[in-house]
Amino acid sequence: MKVNSFKLAREGVVIIFFVTLFIYALTSFQFAFNFEIYEHGYYTIALFSAVATSFWSLFLLLDSQAGIRNSDMLVMMLLGGQIYWVYNGNEYAGTIASFGLMFFLLRSIHTDKLVLLMYIIFFIYITQILFTSFNLLTTRSINLEGGLRNTGVYAIYSIIFIPLCYCVMKRNLKGVYLYLSFGVYLLIVSGIVLFLKSRTALISIFLAYGLPLIFYWLRTQRLYIKIISLATAIIASGFIVYYLFYLKTGSSLGRLLMIKIAFLNASDYVFWGLGLGNFTWNYPQWQSDFFKNNSDPGLAFFLNAGETYVIFNEFIQLFISIGGLLFVFLIYLFSRFLRKTAVVNSDLLKGIRKGLLIIFCCALTYYTLHINGVLLILIFYLALSDAILQNNLSAVLTKSGIYLKTTIFISSALTILFLYPKYDAVRQWVNIKKDMDTTVQDNNGYTYVYSNLKNDGKFLADYGNYLYEHNSDVDSAIKILEKSKKKFISRESIEILAYLYIEQKQYSKAIKYFEWLVNYLPSRFSYRLELIKLYQKVQRVDKAKQLANFTLHMPVKILSGDVVLIKNEIVEINRHLPSTR
């Protein structure tokens, strides 16, 4: 049988690019949105996926026998989305578009090659699990080493592979060896989850595995046993929910606050949504407005309002982001997908359905769909499912599709031409910041960097801060940071802007931003101290006294030496303030 070299090259390229991207997501760029102003990894992901698409479409074009689906026209839409979102500095939407491209590339290769990829992913996963487990055992610390250093993320990453691991082991082991190996693996994963005290992982495992078993058992019982069991389950669930809630009380209250604030602002975006990737710009403002406009928000919410840009429920956030119409359409597509997979007798499909269920259960109480490693596993599950379904349904591809192949190749090439200067500008910007002895103005690449990244709010925030720290150019720094604020908001960027206005003696603008910070993070004493000082400078004595008295009597979340020093300083300021009578 003649070997199709173009097909092998196409499939090999897709696997290599996906594995490289997966490792990059685990080790270097973990989140699809990052509030740190120095994180710009999504340019790498965007360029990487566009290059992969270009190679894939080139080998498709060269292979006259290669089929292509009409639905692959969506590749051009995703390439267009990449250009639009990356140009506007929309990190999350740009990352989603990049991963969407990888989905179309994966679904085009043969099932056997996807199974090979499954083994590669399994090896990477097991290596990470063993490495981190050894670290936990030897250090007995939750300060993880390696790629995934966030304990919540690592716990979720540990459990979403359970169905995949069982499929891999079942294909290679039999009888007692299968059960022994899988049992040891489950023991390790369970130990990790319990040690890290991940409520999301515990809830997801119960919903994915425990609840179906309970329902299956109930179906075989008599009516009175069902009633008694159901009542017992309800009571037990209440105790479990109570325990999990108070296992990390502050975190639980903080999540309730996020959901409440999101619902209070959702009515304006029911049909069309905010736009994918825009939630992270709006939410900090909503939280600041919530405490500004509520004289009695509740002590629990006051103390547990933290610096956050996403809420710990992906479905609510997605609904607000894309609107109800598109949200319902996505639910319809996914339910249709589940119905199709249910009629095919395949162990792999059963494992994939269970894996998807775990991911979506985790998304109920965590920002799971903002974790790049999880997103890549999600698209791999969907691509493998699609490949199995097409094999079982004997789907016929469009054998020629020369115009579609050509159009996709040209589109991907143009996308690379657009993305590379931005990727290169990020690389040069990193080098500029490393060179502490060279001012930005003296660097030959300055104009090039700014012209390519001028619409990226995170870059502008980073650049504005750099202008001040290394060039002492306060005026330019303020101008850049004000421009940044229209596209990206973070505690750090607003704080820098507030201090710059103080240095310029523009106290009214500094007051505006410190008021925003006090409302955004109401339990922070440092911002309250700065605001009291500013009120004192502009002779707003009544405001200074009111804030000082409130701050001195407000509850302390965590008592520390810094808090004591701040309160002592406020006492001294309050003592010297003139009477308002």
Side-chain angles (χ1 to χ4, degrees):
M1 184 176 179
K2 187 178 179 181
V3 176
N4 188 330
S5 57
F6 291 126
K7 180 182 178 182
L8 287 176
R10 186 177 75 250
E11 293 178 334
V13 161
V14 172
I15 291 174
I16 290 170
F17 271 86
F18 184 84
V19 171
T20 306
L21 192 59
F22 185 58
I23 293 172
Y24 179 72
L26 291 179
T27 58
S28 301
F29 194 63
Q30 293 182 22
F31 302 107
F33 169 79
N34 297 268
F35 62 85
E36 295 92 347
I37 59 177
Y38 55 82
E39 285 280 5
H40 303 285
Y42 77 103
Y43 287 102
T44 302
I45 287 178
L47 179 64
F48 196 83
S49 60
V51 171
T53 304
S54 181
F55 275 107
W56 170 77
S57 57
L58 175 62
F59 288 125
L60 269 179
L61 191 58
L62 293 174
D63 186 359
S64 59
Q65 298 301 311
I68 190 167
R69 306 181 198 179
N70 290 328
S71 58
D72 286 334
M73 287 189 291
L74 293 173
V75 169
M76 290 183 292
M77 292 181 62
L78 289 169
L79 289 168
Q82 269 194 324
I83 291 174
Y84 175 77
W85 285 316
V86 171
Y87 174 80
N88 287 287
N90 191 327
E91 182 177 19
Y92 185 67
T95 302
I96 293 298
S98 301
F99 290 164
L101 287 173
M102 295 307 300
F103 165 74
F104 280 95
L105 270 56
L106 286 173
R107 75 197 284 258
S108 70
I109 66 179
H110 195 271
T111 308
D112 290 344
K113 304 301 187 300
L114 288 175
V115 171
L116 172 63
L117 179 57
M118 179 181 73
Y119 280 100
I120 296 172
I121 293 172
F122 173 75
F123 174 77
I124 295 170
Y125 166 71
I126 288 296
T127 302
Q128 179 77 40
I129 287 288
L130 293 176
F131 178 83
T132 305
S133 299
F134 178 76
N135 176 66
L136 291 174
L137 285 173
T138 53
T139 65
R140 298 187 180 277
S141 168
I142 61 173
N143 296 317
L144 304 179
E145 298 294 334
L148 295 169
R149 293 174 183 167
N150 181 300
T151 56
V153 170
Y154 186 74
I156 290 171
Y157 175 75
S158 299
I159 67 170
I160 64 172
F161 279 97
I162 291 176
L164 180 66
C165 285
Y166 182 73
C167 290
V168 171
M169 291 180 182
K170 189 175 180 181
R171 280 172 165 255
N172 297 276
L173 300 171
K174 301 295 180 183
V176 67
Y177 298 105
L178 169 63
Y179 297 116
L180 182 62
S181 301
F182 190 65
V184 170
Y185 160 73
L186 283 182
L187 189 64
I188 293 172
V189 172
S190 301
I192 290 172
V193 171
L194 291 172
F195 184 81
L196 299 178
K197 297 180 181 179
S198 172
R199 294 163 299 170
T200 294
L202 291 170
I203 291 169
S204 300
I205 290 174
F206 173 75
L207 292 177
Y209 287 98
L211 202 58
L213 287 175
I214 291 172
F215 282 127
Y216 177 79
W217 178 79
L218 283 175
R219 283 201 301 267
T220 63
Q221 303 303 311
R222 295 180 179 180
L223 180 60
Y224 76 93
I225 295 179
K226 290 181 180 180
I227 294 173
I228 295 172
S229 300
L230 185 60
T232 304
I234 292 172
I235 295 170
S237 298
F239 282 110
I240 292 171
V241 169
Y242 179 86
Y243 169 76
L244 291 175
F245 186 90
Y246 287 101
L247 184 64
K248 296 179 181 178
T249 310
S251 173
S252 300
L253 291 168
R255 296 182 189 199
L256 285 179
L257 172 64
M258 297 174 208
I259 293 173
K260 179 178 181 178
I261 292 173
F263 273 123
L264 288 173
N265 292 274
S267 58
D268 295 332
Y269 310 101
V270 170
F271 292 107
W272 306 112
L274 281 166
L276 191 63
N278 293 331
F279 188 93
T280 51
W281 183 79
N282 283 272
Y283 181 81
Q285 299 176 79
W286 292 348
Q287 182 166 304
S288 183
D289 289 342
F290 175 80
F291 286 102
K292 177 183 178 181
N293 299 323
N294 284 273
S295 57
D296 185 20
L299 177 61
F301 287 161
F302 180 90
L303 289 176
N304 292 289
E307 180 184 2
T308 186
Y309 307 88
V310 296
I311 61 175
F312 286 66
N313 187 301
E314 290 284 9
F315 299 106
I316 296 174
Q317 181 164 332
L318 185 62
F319 178 87
I320 296 172
S321 296
I322 65 176
L325 297 177
L326 186 54
F327 186 79
V328 171
F329 181 65
L330 288 179
I331 291 176
Y332 164 74
L333 289 180
F334 188 68
S335 62
R336 186 178 176 186
F337 160 78
L338 289 178
R339 286 197 301 271
K340 285 185 177 181
T341 59
V343 299
V344 178
N345 185 22
S346 165
D347 288 338
L348 265 181
L349 275 183
K350 291 176 183 176
I352 289 169
R353 285 202 301 272
K354 189 68 73 174
L356 291 173
L357 178 60
I358 292 174
I359 290 174
F360 292 133
C361 286
C362 289
L364 288 170
T365 57
Y366 209 79
Y367 47 87
T368 309
L369 301 184
H370 283 72
I371 305 169
N372 287 331
V374 175
L375 287 171
L376 286 170
I377 292 304
L378 176 63
I379 68 167
F380 172 73
Y381 279 160
L382 293 175
L384 182 54
S385 302
D386 184 73
I388 295 171
L389 287 174
Q390 297 307 323
N391 286 345
N392 281 272
L393 299 175
S394 302
V396 178
L397 303 179
T398 303
K399 280 296 180 184
S400 178
I402 183 68
Y403 298 112
L404 180 56
K405 293 176 185 178
T406 304
T407 305
I408 292 175
F409 174 70
I410 293 173
S411 299
S412 61
L414 292 174
T415 304
I416 292 171
L417 290 175
F418 171 80
L419 291 175
Y420 181 77
K422 296 187 179 298
Y423 164 80
D424 189 50
V426 169
R427 187 177 56 82
Q428 289 198 31
W429 174 239
V430 172
N431 291 333
I432 287 172
K433 290 197 297 180
K434 287 180 179 178
D435 188 359
M436 297 299 182
D437 298 325
T438 303
T439 64
V440 176
Q441 284 83 350
D442 293 335
N443 192 287
N444 293 328
Y446 161 68
T447 304
Y448 175 73
V449 170
Y450 184 78
S451 63
N452 279 288
L453 302 176
K454 62 184 177 182
N455 292 311
D456 186 332
K458 284 177 64 177
F459 160 73
L460 292 174
D462 194 13
Y463 172 53
N465 185 41
Y466 188 90
L467 277 177
Y468 171 67
E469 288 187 349
H470 299 281
N471 291 25
S472 300
D473 188 350
V474 179
D475 290 332
S476 296
I478 287 175
K479 182 180 177 181
I480 294 295
L481 285 164
E482 285 287 1
K483 184 179 179 181
S484 163
K485 187 169 64 71
K486 297 175 182 178
K487 291 179 174 289
F488 172 78
I489 287 180
S490 73
R491 175 202 56 79
E492 183 181 5
S493 61
I494 298 297
E495 181 183 314
I496 293 168
L497 195 52
Y499 280 116
L500 288 177
Y501 276 124
I502 291 177
E503 187 160 330
Q504 289 291 80
K505 297 185 175 6
Q506 297 186 45
Y507 298 127
S508 60
K509 291 183 178 180
I511 285 172
K512 180 180 77 170
Y513 288 119
F514 270 116
E515 284 179 341
W516 189 92
L517 288 166
V518 164
N519 289 320
Y520 180 43
L521 301 168
S523 63
R524 291 276 183 98
F525 280 80
S526 56
Y527 297 141
R528 292 177 175 274
L529 173 60
E530 294 296 339
L531 190 53
I532 291 167
K533 290 178 179 178
L534 285 168
Y535 285 148
Q536 184 184 28
K537 281 182 182 293
V538 297
Q539 299 300 310
R540 294 172 67 176
V541 179
D542 54 341
K543 281 277 192 181
K545 277 187 167 293
Q546 181 184 4
L547 184 58
N549 290 329
F550 181 87
T551 304
L552 289 172
H553 294 92
M554 80 181 205
V556 180
K557 184 177 180 180
I558 301 175
L559 185 62
S560 66
D562 289 338
V563 170
V564 173
L565 290 174
I566 290 172
K567 293 184 80 170
N568 290 338
E569 188 171 351
I570 293 174
V571 168
E572 286 300 312
I573 294 172
N574 201 25
R575 185 179 301 161
H576 291 92
L577 286 172
S579 175
T580 56
R581 293 180 180 178

